[in-house]
Amino acid sequence: MRLPPVLNSHNMKTVTLALTLVRHGETPYNKEGLLQGQAIDSPLSEVGFQQAEAAGRYLKDVKFTNVFVSDMLRAKQTAEAVMKHNSSCSGLQMVCDPLLKERSFGIAEGRPVKELREMAKAAGQALPEFTAPNGETQEQVKQRVQVFMGKMLQRIGAEHLPGRAEEDRSEAPDAAAAEGKADDGLRGVPLHALVVTHGAYMRVALQYFVKELHCSLPQDCDEAHMFSLSPNTGLCRFVLAMKREDDRFTLSRMHCVFAHRGDHVKQ
């Protein structure tokens, strides 16, 4: 299943949805510079739990209506910490979805990142684009992102927006500059999904959002920063406009409020 194409009409009735992506906290493998991918289901390290707690405290007053999480342990532990601090999550179900798994690095999993870098160099490729034997290509990861986004829109629409299209009244907010606050971009946005996933997966997702869904960038943010690896418990937020077409929800536009925010870890 492919996500429907971005629509360009500005006069349509729309429903707005905020999406906050969170990378999981540090694991012992992260600390040692080792690749985890999908085969190694490592828990968070002590520092990772502290980072997850910090993210939870930072987001404690932000309202979420849905929570989607990779089914890998490090992501679930991070999501649990965030939800524990947030009263709006007390009645929410954590939806664990394998579509949010980390990218598979094939035979390189469990090895130092520098070995993967050397493999890429020997193949004459840049590291993000290189695929280790038995690993996932970026295109395969992008396909998982596409399917997840489609599923997410339909699930949120079905849960929160029953009825006919003419009953949808909210309008997509204008892109505003982030002010460094936990609720940046959320004013007037009725729906908000928390998605906890992984670093390489997030990098592919953000490339897809910008290059194919025409997501606009925040002020003072270029593609080099946007497509960089998010720090552990790094936060990215987007505001999406959805249009209802019969019983389907399609994406009409998308704006990134901020990318790879990690100030909560430093506080």
Side-chain angles (χ1 to χ4, degrees):
M1 181 179 72
R2 298 179 69 86
L3 191 67
V6 173
L7 305 173
N8 294 317
S9 171
H10 296 289
N11 298 318
M12 66 182 68
K13 292 290 186 180
T14 59
V15 179
T16 56
L17 163 68
L19 170 64
T20 296
L21 296 181
V22 183
R23 186 187 176 196
H24 63 80
E26 181 199 82
T27 69
Y29 280 78
N30 291 145
K31 183 178 181 179
E32 298 298 326
L34 303 174
L35 290 164
Q36 294 166 101
Q38 296 180 4
I40 298 172
D41 200 12
S42 174
L44 297 180
S45 65
E46 181 177 349
V47 169
F49 278 111
Q50 293 171 357
Q51 292 170 336
E53 290 286 324
R57 290 191 296 269
Y58 181 75
L59 296 170
K60 66 183 179 66
D61 296 321
V62 171
K63 183 179 179 180
F64 295 104
T65 56
N66 295 81
V67 180
F68 301 93
V69 184
S70 160
D71 63 353
M72 305 200 75
L73 181 58
R74 54 194 183 272
K76 290 189 289 186
Q77 289 178 329
T78 302
E80 288 167 356
V82 172
M83 295 178 72
K84 177 182 68 176
H85 288 278
N86 192 300
S87 60
S88 73
C89 293
S90 60
L92 297 184
Q93 174 191 3
M94 179 195 296
V95 178
C96 295
D97 196 328
L99 289 170
L100 293 168
K101 281 181 184 290
E102 179 59 296
R103 180 182 182 182
S104 170
F105 295 103
I107 66 169
E109 293 187 1
R111 300 183 185 182
V113 176
K114 65 179 182 180
E115 288 193 16
L116 183 64
R117 188 175 293 112
E118 292 167 356
M119 292 169 66
K121 184 178 179 180
Q125 298 181 34
L127 183 55
E129 290 76 29
F130 175 71
T131 302
N134 302 324
E136 274 187 299
T137 65
Q138 285 202 114
E139 179 65 25
Q140 288 173 321
V141 179
K142 186 187 79 172
Q143 289 172 0
R144 288 200 281 122
V145 174
Q146 290 176 319
V147 175
F148 170 76
M149 290 292 289
K151 284 179 59 180
M152 181 188 73
L153 291 182
Q154 306 323 311
R155 182 178 183 121
I156 290 176
E159 287 183 3
H160 300 286
L161 301 166
R164 300 174 60 185
E166 54 264 35
E167 295 170 349
D168 300 336
R169 301 295 183 184
S170 60
E171 293 292 335
D174 293 331
E179 300 177 351
K181 298 179 181 179
D183 63 351
D184 281 342
L186 300 179
R187 181 176 299 178
V189 179
L191 302 171
H192 187 190
L194 171 68
V195 176
V196 183
T197 181
H198 306 264
Y201 183 96
M202 285 175 63
R203 176 153 45 193
V204 174
L206 268 59
Q207 290 176 339
Y208 170 60
F209 293 166
V210 172
K211 294 181 178 180
E212 299 191 34
L213 300 186
H214 310 294
C215 176
S216 59
L217 301 184
Q219 296 180 8
D220 302 321
C221 177
D222 58 18
E223 289 190 358
H225 175 71
M226 192 76 173
F227 302 156
S228 63
L229 184 66
S230 197
N232 287 114
T233 66
L235 310 172
C236 301
R237 179 166 298 150
F238 304 85
V239 176
L240 292 66
M242 298 188 298
K243 179 191 175 186
R244 187 201 302 268
E245 296 184 331
D246 297 324
D247 293 329
R248 300 285 298 173
F249 290 88
T250 59
L251 184 65
S252 58
R253 68 183 185 269
M254 186 176 194
H255 169 67
C256 179
V257 182
F258 56 77
H260 310 313
R261 183 176 288 179
D263 293 344
H264 53 280
V265 177
K266 303 172 186 176
Q267 296 175 353

